[in-house]
Amino acid sequence: YGLKELEFAAFDITINGEYQHMSHVQVACEKCLMLPHVPVLYEGAWSQEAQDQFTFNNFIEGTKVPHEGIVIKHHSGERQKIAKVINPDYLIYGEKHNIGDSH
């Protein structure tokens, strides 16, 4: 993604064993922890159209490098209800540019 150094962004947090909704993650990261967080692209019922909107034809800003994909998770945060959808264009790009397996 063009980074010069390793960077961290929060995705999920659990406090005292209890999953925190993404809105709590954003508040905790921005106001309390002062950490960057992964943006929420969509919140609502799953649909193929919504999934495809964020998976296909999306590129890293200012480049022709396709986004790797998206993570879909249930609002409960249950780990068994999380999926990663890889953009096929990213896989093709990765093979052509020998970027390795980063997912």
Side-chain angles (χ1 to χ4, degrees):
Y1 288 6
L3 299 175
K4 302 285 187 235
E5 296 180 22
L6 185 64
E7 292 186 18
F8 171 83
F11 179 74
D12 273 337
I13 61 172
T14 301
I15 298 175
N16 296 325
E18 187 173 326
Y19 172 77
Q20 303 298 305
H21 187 271
M22 193 61 200
S23 60
H24 294 135
V25 173
Q26 291 170 330
V27 168
C29 288
E30 291 172 359
K31 296 185 179 174
C32 303
L33 303 175
M34 306 300 274
L35 294 171
H37 59 83
V38 175
V40 175
L41 300 175
Y42 172 82
E43 192 168 344
W46 179 89
S47 72
Q48 189 69 53
E49 295 80 23
Q51 176 180 306
D52 292 350
Q53 174 186 357
F54 296 104
T55 303
F56 301 110
N57 299 316
N58 287 299
F59 300 88
I60 297 171
E61 190 174 328
T63 74
K64 293 183 179 183
V65 179
H67 277 278
E68 182 176 344
I70 59 171
V71 173
I72 300 172
K73 62 182 185 173
H74 191 264
H75 63 88
S76 69
E78 291 178 63
R79 303 304 289 173
Q80 308 91 311
K81 296 181 180 181
I82 296 177
K84 185 171 186 179
V85 181
I86 304 295
N87 180 350
D89 292 331
Y90 175 82
L91 295 175
I92 294 167
Y93 177 88
E95 287 180 10
K96 286 183 180 178
H97 296 89
N98 195 25
I99 60 171
D101 186 12
S102 62
H103 50 276

